[in-house]
Amino acid sequence: VQLVESGGGSVQAGGSLRLSCAASGYTDSRLCMAWFRQAAGKEREGVAIIESEGRTAYAESVKGRFTISKDNANNTLYLQMNSLKPEDTAVYYCAGAVQAYGWAMDKWVETTEYTDWGQGTQVTVSS
């Protein structure tokens, strides 16, 4: 399995970016895919998730500004980020896992729920 992020960069506050994550190697279609981020000196935190049936969840800090989506035909995960703030500055990681039956969505923020990670892409928001 390989996850490759792209789309990071530098933007001024209030601007927008769209991150992409190209996934390859999965043989199971029941996937939960998520975005995490890690700011300098801080722990990695969950940003958004989309699970196999399309349900989504977001961190409170990004609700209403970020949108997660996926293109199953192209095996690509997206994160549309609008109204960016300096506190959104971080390395953003794509994460994935085969979703077990009965998986509880309230565990989505736990990094241990994911078996596969991308290399990360830097997002820098200046004030």
Side-chain angles (χ1 to χ4, degrees), residues 5-46:
E5 302 100 334
S6 61
S10 297
V11 65
Q12 289 192 325
S16 298
L17 285 173
R18 188 175 81 154
L19 304 183
S20 300
C21 172
S24 60
Y26 285 114
T27 58
D28 195 320
S29 61
R30 287 184 57 82
L31 300 175
C32 53
M33 301 293 295
W35 289 98
F36 282 73
R37 67 186 181 186
Q38 188 166 17
K42 295 188 177 181
E43 292 189 355
R44 194 169 297 190
E45 63 174 359

Side-chain angles (χ1 to χ4, degrees), residues 43-99:
E43 292 189 355
R44 194 169 297 190
E45 63 174 359
V47 175
I49 184 180
I50 184 165
E51 54 88 59
S52 63
E53 296 183 2
R55 292 182 298 166
T56 59
Y58 295 89
E60 285 295 327
S61 60
V62 306
K63 277 183 180 178
R65 300 188 298 123
F66 290 11
T67 302
I68 190 170
S69 62
K70 62 181 178 178
D71 181 342
N72 290 325
N74 293 312
N75 297 319
T76 303
L77 179 73
Y78 300 101
L79 184 68
Q80 178 67 43
M81 305 186 294
N82 298 328
S83 302
L84 282 161
K85 304 175 180 179
E87 50 263 44
D88 295 318
T89 295
V91 177
Y92 283 70
Y93 296 91
C94 174
V98 174
Q99 186 173 330

Side-chain angles (χ1 to χ4, degrees), residues 101-116:
Y101 287 96
W103 178 73
M105 197 159 169
D106 59 2
K107 296 190 295 183
W108 77 271
V109 296
E110 298 176 20
T111 58
T112 53
E113 291 296 307
Y114 303 89
T115 53
D116 309 299

